[in-house]
Amino acid sequence: MESKKAEKRSEIKQTSSFWVWVIASVIFRLILIYFPQNLNLSSRPEVSTPLTSLRRLAEGYWLKQSSMSPYSGSMYHGSPLLLSLLGPLTVNGIEGQPNHLQCGLLFVLADVVSAMLLRATGQSLQMSYSRSLKLLGLVQLSKNSEMLSSGDIAALVYLWNPFTIVASVGLSTSPIENLMIILSLYGASKRLSSLAAFGWVMATHLSLYPVVLIIPLIFLLGYGPDGPPRKLFLQRRCIKDGTNPISDNFCQQDELLNQSNLPVTFSWKPVIHFLFWVSVWSVYVMVLCGMSVKQNGGMWEMFKSTYGFILTVEDLSPNMGVLWYFFAEVFDFFRNFFLIVFHVNILFMILPLAVRLNHRPCFLAFVYIAISSMLKSYPSIMMST
């Protein structure tokens, strides 16, 4: 009884400590957002890119309010839905407060929600990992692993990551994109097909590169959260020495009897639901975009100014990547060839990594995000977190 009470007190203490750090991170962000003049982060190319700059979004909203296409010229290249959501906040500020304060508050809220989703996803992975250890007979190790909550650590690391803080203070729209990516992973880890599909469709709509995450999302929905390979359970159940045919024969029978204790095989039902919701959310987003840009250029101009802008690397202003410098130096005759090479380079890594890491879908998603963050056309420090 005393040990149980001590464990409960320890859990309460850890929970209270976690929320103290969360509140402290929010207060720290609010202080930096309220006094942004001394930092001037919104003009840094490491923070704001042509796709995530709030200044460009404000310019696009001004053009839309002036009955012109927000994609006219070369200022705005983001989503029309994001323009409708954040555009009014860049104009109607709070009286007596700094400009864009409302957008900053929205970005802080997005960071907090992302951290909570990371926490819940980490808890799901921890529970799945503990069950796998118990199936392997490593009960003591599973008990020790539960002493440290990976979900709490992941959430606090995200909230106190300097890059995450700089992105919020620098008024970059990256927190919204990250929220959609994390939302899709959370939905897949909980096997909520509609939520995972919504997050993936919105993340792809906002920045295109998350389209590669459909593979780890399918693995998450089909296999469940991360776990050891299935063959490891079979090896753990029985190790044949090859010298005693009787014991080996008994080992094979024991292996067949314990098939029910093995991890669940791939399930197609949540995957089919996910693909159905992907089609539903995609149509819904396209309808909303069509309504938004109907009088301002139409869908073709939107695709050309968003996805086309990403794939053709039209803006050669300096950023964290190397594509701007490379395409500023390359001859125009070879430009299309190297555009194909750079973008296909990401696709070449998808299949081998999926084959090797199919039992670790969350880690596979992390690897995909890391690769696309390094090779994308307009990277920023937020995409490196």
Side-chain angles (χ1 to χ4, degrees):
M1 292 294 294
E2 294 181 357
S3 61
K4 292 183 178 179
K5 290 181 179 179
E7 290 179 359
K8 289 183 178 179
R9 286 196 297 268
S10 177
E11 291 178 359
I12 295 174
K13 184 177 180 181
Q14 290 179 357
T15 303
S16 60
S17 177
F18 168 79
W19 286 109
V20 167
W21 282 105
V22 170
I23 295 173
S25 68
V26 173
I27 295 175
F28 183 66
R29 280 172 165 79
L30 295 178
I31 293 174
L32 294 180
I33 289 173
Y34 192 80
F35 302 101
Q37 291 83 3
N38 296 331
L39 300 176
N40 197 27
L41 294 173
S42 58
S43 61
R44 298 294 305 175
E46 300 90 349
V47 179
S48 295
T49 68
L51 298 174
T52 62
S53 174
L54 192 65
R55 291 182 177 180
R56 289 175 176 258
L57 187 144
E59 180 69 19
Y61 185 73
W62 182 87
L63 291 173
K64 184 177 180 180
Q65 292 298 102
S66 302
S67 300
M68 293 185 290
S69 173
Y71 301 110
S72 60
S74 60
M75 285 301 296
Y76 185 65
H77 301 281
S79 164
L81 302 183
L82 198 63
L83 186 69
S84 301
L85 174 66
L86 298 181
L89 300 181
T90 62
V91 177
N92 302 321
I94 303 175
E95 184 178 357
Q97 301 300 327
N99 294 333
H100 302 158
L101 179 62
Q102 289 178 309
C103 290
L105 295 177
L106 182 61
F107 296 151
V108 172
L109 178 62
D111 280 344
V112 174
V113 175
S114 298
M116 296 303 103
L117 292 177
L118 279 176
R119 185 191 187 200
T121 305
Q123 291 173 351
S124 298
L125 295 179
Q126 190 77 11
M127 293 175 59
S128 177
Y129 183 67
S130 299
R131 287 195 298 267
S132 299
L133 290 177
K134 290 178 182 179
L135 288 176
L136 289 171
L138 304 175
V139 181
Q140 188 63 33
L141 185 58
S142 66
K143 291 181 179 179
N144 294 336
S145 65
E146 293 175 356
M147 296 176 62
L148 190 62
S149 176
S150 59
D152 292 355
I153 295 175
L156 292 179
V157 168
Y158 183 85
L159 286 175
W160 285 100
N161 191 318
F163 293 160
T164 310
I165 297 174
V166 165
S168 297
V169 177
L171 299 176
S172 169
T173 60
S174 298
I176 305 296
E177 299 176 10
N178 286 356
L179 174 60
M180 294 298 106
I181 294 175
I182 296 172
L183 181 65
S184 64
L185 294 174
Y186 167 77
S189 66
K190 296 293 186 179
R191 291 198 169 183
L192 302 173
S193 301
S194 60
L195 188 62
F198 174 77
W200 181 79
V201 169
M202 289 304 302
T204 304
H205 172 68
L206 293 176
S207 58
L208 182 62
Y209 289 97
V211 67
V212 299
L213 293 180
I214 192 171
I215 295 178
L217 289 177
I218 289 176
F219 286 152
L220 262 177
L221 291 166
Y223 287 118
D226 291 10
R230 184 180 175 86
K231 63 181 181 180
L232 183 60
F233 291 85
L234 295 174
Q235 294 174 358
R236 182 71 181 178
R237 291 294 176 188
C238 178
I239 302 177
K240 302 178 183 179
D241 54 10
T243 58
N244 191 343
I246 298 178
S247 63
D248 289 348
N249 201 17
F250 174 77
C251 190
Q252 292 176 359
Q253 295 177 359
D254 181 68
E255 181 178 310
L256 293 174
L257 292 173
N258 287 287
Q259 288 291 325
S260 60
N261 293 329
L262 293 176
V264 180
T265 56
F266 190 86
S267 175
W268 284 101
K269 185 176 180 180
V271 175
I272 295 174
H273 289 169
F274 170 74
L275 296 177
F276 167 76
W277 280 108
V278 163
S279 60
V280 171
W281 288 121
S282 298
V283 171
Y284 185 66
V285 169
M286 288 299 101
V287 170
L288 291 179
C289 290
M291 295 172 59
S292 179
V293 300
K294 183 178 180 180
Q295 299 178 349
N296 298 307
M299 294 287 288
W300 173 249
E301 184 176 359
M302 184 200 75
F303 284 121
K304 183 179 179 181
S305 298
T306 54
Y307 298 154
F309 180 78
I310 294 173
L311 296 175
T312 57
V313 196
E314 296 178 3
D315 193 319
L316 298 180
S317 57
N319 55 50
M320 289 183 61
V322 297
L323 269 69
W324 68 271
Y325 180 78
F326 184 86
F327 286 106
E329 298 291 334
V330 74
F331 291 107
D332 291 338
F333 180 79
F334 299 103
R335 180 179 174 84
N336 292 335
F337 170 75
F338 283 107
L339 279 174
I340 296 174
V341 170
F342 272 97
H343 291 300
V344 173
N345 194 23
I346 300 176
L347 302 179
F348 281 157
M349 304 181 189
I350 292 178
L351 183 59
L353 289 171
V355 173
R356 182 63 183 88
L357 299 174
N358 62 85
H359 63 288
R360 301 282 191 189
C362 282
F363 182 67
L364 178 63
F366 165 76
V367 174
Y368 282 172
I369 293 172
I371 292 174
S372 60
S373 297
M374 290 185 295
L375 299 178
K376 67 190 305 182
S377 52
Y378 303 104
S380 65
I381 57 174
M382 186 62 177
M383 299 303 171
S384 304
T385 59

